[in-house]
Amino acid sequence: MSDKGRRIRVIDETLREGMQFHGLVFSLEQRIKILEFQEMLGVDVCQAGYPPALDREAGIVRAVADHARKNKFKIRTAALGRALAGDAQIIADTGVDDPHFHCHLKKGASKTERQSILSDLGRLFKDVKEMRPDSQISLAMLDMGRTPAPVLAACLKAFDSPGGLSILSLPDTSGIMAPNRVTACISPLAALKQRIRLSVHCHNDMGMATANTLTGILAGADIFEASALGIGERNGLADLYITGRLLADQGHETGLNLDNLDGFKAYYTYVNAIVKEQAGFDLLNYQYPVFGAAVKTHVAGTHAGGNFGTADQEAFFLNPLCGRGLVKKYLGSHGIGYDARSLEAITTAVKKMSMDKGRALTKEEIARIAEKNHLQNPP
């Protein structure tokens, strides 16, 4: 689908899905801080938690919603629960802007059983709208990777009418899909929908969450659900920044302030510190896309001419694959004096020594090579 005029909305699930990652627990203070990051970075919706789980959880979600309202934030607050009247009331009592529900269609359910479930859901949404007329109700139908296409189409048709469901969320809950399967699932639904919006929520069990989420939007979904560092159940979700960046690079508009790399890095660093404290490991590691230090490292000179990532300083490693351009950059960045006429000889010496030692050379070794190859009697 090539409709680049759509405004793609963003639901940040760092708080709710994040508490399903390695058993993390976000305090009220941490949730407020994360909400403030999301507001600063242009996220549309903060899914703040799962109030039906516990009274104290509901109280924290209520406080998050109050903080957003008191400070007149643009971001909408949401909370998730089961598609049941009791959960709907608990969510409404928190004061969040939007109730988000999930519902599982049992495999092998008959057409009559499905129709009964859809009818019950329709009544629930009507009741919620009477309680909260301005709310944008979302329903996650679990899950698109295992639900037959005709069943998803029937769900869409049942809810695609005014005064009820606003968003049909399509989760790859099992994390089993590939981009071509996501396209095959979402494209027909996007062609069918009238007023309802489709949201895509992909898990990362096969390492495809960000690619699948991007593909879901390109196939016609209107909203993507993601998180900082991709944290979420099991292997996590799509990465918030990377998904937004790739969409922007293909001409799609989101409200994300993607040029605020420092802000995104601060957000990711804050969440990573919570992961480190509670789980004992780093997610924002050396090889993390965009924000990890490795993205600024270079060995082949042809790669060293661009602007990569957010690392504070480029790092050059000289081994047998380096060329004169990279050697020149290395010498300049480390303040190593050299005779420009000897650059070819220095480069050759670096290559040979690196091959002999079976590793990249140290700064001291390169400095000695540069000194040794300084021309004393130029022609």
Side-chain angles (χ1 to χ4, degrees), residues 259-296:
D259 292 333
N260 189 358
L261 276 176
D262 289 341
F264 269 100
K265 181 143 190 200
Y267 181 21
Y268 279 34
T269 300
Y270 182 76
V271 173
N272 186 69
I274 297 171
V275 174
K276 179 70 172 178
E277 178 184 10
Q278 295 191 30
F281 52 81
D282 286 296
L283 290 178
L284 192 57
N285 56 31
Y286 186 69
Q287 285 188 286
Y288 198 88
V290 181
F291 301 101
V295 78
K296 279 283 190 177

Side-chain angles (χ1 to χ4, degrees), residues 107 178 181 309 335 371:
K107 187 176 181 181
R181 290 187 60 201
E371 182 179 5

Side-chain angles (χ1 to χ4, degrees), residues 193-211:
K193 69 185 178 72
Q194 299 295 321
R195 55 163 294 281
I196 205 167
R197 288 173 290 173
L198 299 178
S199 184
V200 61
H201 175 113
C202 296
H203 280 259
N204 204 40
D205 297 68
M206 299 290 287
M208 300 300 292
T210 297

Side-chain angles (χ1 to χ4, degrees), residues 69 85 87 93-94 109 114 122 154 165 254 263 285 288 346 351 368:
R69 192 160 37 249
D87 283 21
D93 289 344
T94 65
R114 290 200 306 269
L165 189 67
T254 71
N285 56 31
Y288 198 88
I346 293 171
K351 290 171 175 280
R368 286 196 294 271

